[in-house]
């Protein structure tokens, strides 16, 4: 986090932040792999001070010297080849999301550019909004890597009405998950949602550790939520593109909604999220009821007088 006298962090050692992330990430990955899992011999009388692999064991498995691996784990990313990274990834049994995250961190540690001085405004292009509006039977959203909801269609807004109840704009999924007491009821599998949310934020931080809005969000969640702090310290990352979301909506009850995410080619930091229901299922009936409820409330809102200029939303 930037200091009060240096609001954009221009005087800090920005590469040092990435080095710390590399050290903590690789350390947590080592702790998750036992010698038995790595196929290394363990002798009966051996006393180990670490729960997972030692640095020299990772180096042995990766085919590099222990001195080189130790420098790398300390964040010295100078001249790291693809073959060395792949060797470390195999030694630590990294999955695809973890391998990509390590590459992002190493790239960040090796860069010489200063962090951006100002946050980048994110807006949804009008053709993308028209695509959302055309999906009348499908809740659909445009999000970024921070979990900000940048745009939605009427059914999507009705589905996430509790998220939109937060006056902060744009609405943010992570803030809702960890700071709104209604989240544990809305997400029937809240613990999994919480883990996935933190893992996606951790991956996003690896891609751009100097996204000011992201660091502000992480700072807020770390300050206000013990559940977030505990998960953040685990350094888990995840690619979360498909699955089933188990929700309990205050108007229509339980929904089991398969979801898919699609990156937007022209806007690489944004993606389309859609929820669908199995045909003729109770969830489909609930979605139909929700669409009817949303149409009624939309008509009421359009005819209701408003004199509050602060009620206008932004999608920055």
């Amino acid at each position: 986090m930037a200091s009060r006298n240096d609001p954009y962090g221009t005087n800090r050692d920005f590469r040092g932040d990435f080095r710390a992330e590399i050290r903590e990430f690789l350390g947590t990955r080592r702790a998750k792999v036992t010698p038995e899992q790595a196929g290394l011999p363990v002798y009966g009388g051996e006393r180990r001070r670490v729960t997972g692999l030692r640095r020299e064991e990772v180096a042995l498995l990766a085919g590099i010297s222990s001195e080189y691996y130790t420098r790398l784990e300390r964040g010295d990313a100078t001249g790291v080849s693809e073959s060395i990274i792949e060797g470390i990834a195999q030694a630590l049994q990294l999955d695809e999301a973890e391998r990509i995250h390590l590459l992002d961190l190493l790239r960040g540690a090796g860069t010489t550019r200063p962090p951006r001085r100002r946050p980048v405004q994110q807006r949804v292009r009008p053709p993308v909004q028209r695509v959302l509006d055309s999906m009348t039977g499908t809740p659909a959203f445009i999000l970024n890597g921070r979990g900000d909801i940048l745009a939605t269609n009427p059914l999507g807004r009705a589905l996430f009405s509790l998220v939109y109840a937060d006056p902060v704009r744009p609405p943010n999924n992570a803030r809702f998950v960890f700071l709104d007491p209604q989240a544990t009821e809305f997400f029937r599998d809240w613990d999994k949602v919480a883990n996935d949310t933190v893992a996606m934020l951790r991956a996003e931080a690896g891609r751009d550790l100097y996204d000011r809005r992201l660091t502000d969000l992480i700072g807020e969640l770390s300050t206000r939520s013990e559940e977030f702090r505990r998960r953040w310290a685990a350094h888990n990352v995840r690619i979360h593109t498909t699955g089933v979301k188990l929700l309990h909506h205050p108007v229509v009850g339980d929904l089991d909604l398969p979801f898919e995410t699609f990156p937007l080619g022209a806007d690489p930091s944004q993606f389309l999220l859609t929820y669908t229901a199995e045909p003729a299922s109770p969830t489909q009936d609930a979605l139909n009821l929700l669409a009817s409820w949303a149409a009624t409330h939309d008509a009421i809102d359009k005819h209701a007088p408003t004199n509050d200029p602060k009620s206008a939303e932004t999608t920055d």
Side-chain angles (χ1 to χ4, degrees):
M1 300 294 290
S3 70
R4 182 173 300 176
N5 295 326
D6 185 24
Y8 295 105
T10 53
N11 295 325
R12 66 186 172 187
D13 178 10
F14 58 93
R15 284 181 294 180
D17 292 348
F18 277 101
R19 294 188 186 107
E21 290 292 318
I22 292 170
R23 180 177 65 252
E24 292 169 11
F25 177 67
L26 289 178
T28 58
R29 297 315 94 178
R30 281 196 295 112
K32 293 178 68 173
V33 182
T34 66
E36 293 86 353
Q37 290 171 328
L40 295 175
V42 178
Y43 302 101
E46 185 179 7
R47 297 183 61 184
R48 301 181 63 88
R49 293 184 297 173
V50 295
T51 57
L53 296 178
R54 301 183 177 115
R55 291 190 181 92
E56 58 267 25
E57 291 170 333
V58 176
L60 175 65
L61 293 168
I64 57 179
S65 71
S66 59
E67 292 80 7
Y68 186 90
Y69 176 78
T70 298
R71 291 201 309 271
L72 179 60
E73 190 170 298
R74 290 173 178 168
D76 183 357
T78 305
V80 182
S81 69
E82 183 71 22
S83 61
I84 289 176
I85 295 172
E86 287 303 318
I88 293 171
Q90 291 181 20
L92 295 176
Q93 302 179 15
L94 303 185
D95 62 22
E96 183 65 11
E98 292 170 325
R99 190 185 69 83
I100 292 173
H101 184 60
L102 177 59
L103 285 170
D104 288 337
L105 294 178
L106 292 172
R107 188 180 303 113
T111 189
T112 57
R113 69 169 179 83
R116 289 195 298 266
R117 291 184 61 86
R118 296 185 181 278
V120 175
Q121 299 286 327
Q122 285 198 330
R123 300 187 183 277
V124 174
R125 292 178 293 114
V128 175
Q129 182 65 61
R130 291 196 290 271
V131 169
L132 292 180
D133 294 338
S134 71
M135 304 170 71
T136 56
T138 300
F141 308 83
I142 302 298
L143 294 94
N144 59 23
R146 295 188 299 270
D148 294 334
I149 303 177
L150 304 176
T152 186
N153 59 8
L155 189 53
R157 184 177 180 117
L159 181 64
F160 276 17
S161 57
L162 293 179
V163 183
Y164 273 89
D166 186 343
V168 177
R169 291 293 180 267
N172 180 272
N173 277 338
R175 187 180 291 111
F176 175 73
V177 168
F178 288 101
L179 302 183
D180 195 315
Q182 299 176 98
T184 53
E185 183 174 355
F186 181 68
F187 294 111
R188 288 150 51 205
D189 54 348
W190 182 87
D191 195 65
K192 181 179 185 303
V193 170
N195 289 335
D196 290 343
T197 299
V198 174
M200 287 186 289
L201 286 178
R202 177 63 80 176
E204 183 68 10
R207 286 186 286 270
D208 188 355
L209 196 60
Y210 299 101
D211 178 336
R212 175 69 185 281
R213 290 192 177 94
L214 177 61
T215 56
D216 286 349
L217 174 65
I218 292 169
E220 178 186 10
L221 296 177
S222 297
T223 300
R224 300 176 59 187
S225 172
E226 172 61 30
E227 292 284 359
F228 178 85
R229 287 195 299 273
R230 179 169 57 82
R231 289 171 170 82
W232 186 254
H235 284 264
N236 292 328
V237 294
R238 191 164 301 161
I239 297 175
H240 197 53
T241 58
T242 186
V244 178
K245 198 74 76 179
L246 306 179
L247 306 179
H248 178 81
H249 193 277
V251 174
V252 300
D254 290 352
L255 303 101
D256 298 357
L257 288 168
F259 67 87
E260 298 287 339
T261 61
F262 307 91
L264 300 182
D267 303 288
S269 63
Q270 300 177 11
F271 60 92
L272 169 67
L273 168 65
T274 63
Y275 291 100
T276 57
E278 293 292 336
S281 65
T283 294
Q284 183 63 68
D285 293 339
L287 271 187
N288 294 340
L289 179 59
L290 185 62
S292 177
W293 177 82
T296 301
H297 279 253
D298 184 57
I300 293 173
D301 291 342
K302 285 181 178 179
H303 290 89
T306 176
N307 298 315
D308 183 3
K310 295 182 180 179
S311 64
E313 293 181 12
T314 63
T315 55
D316 292 349

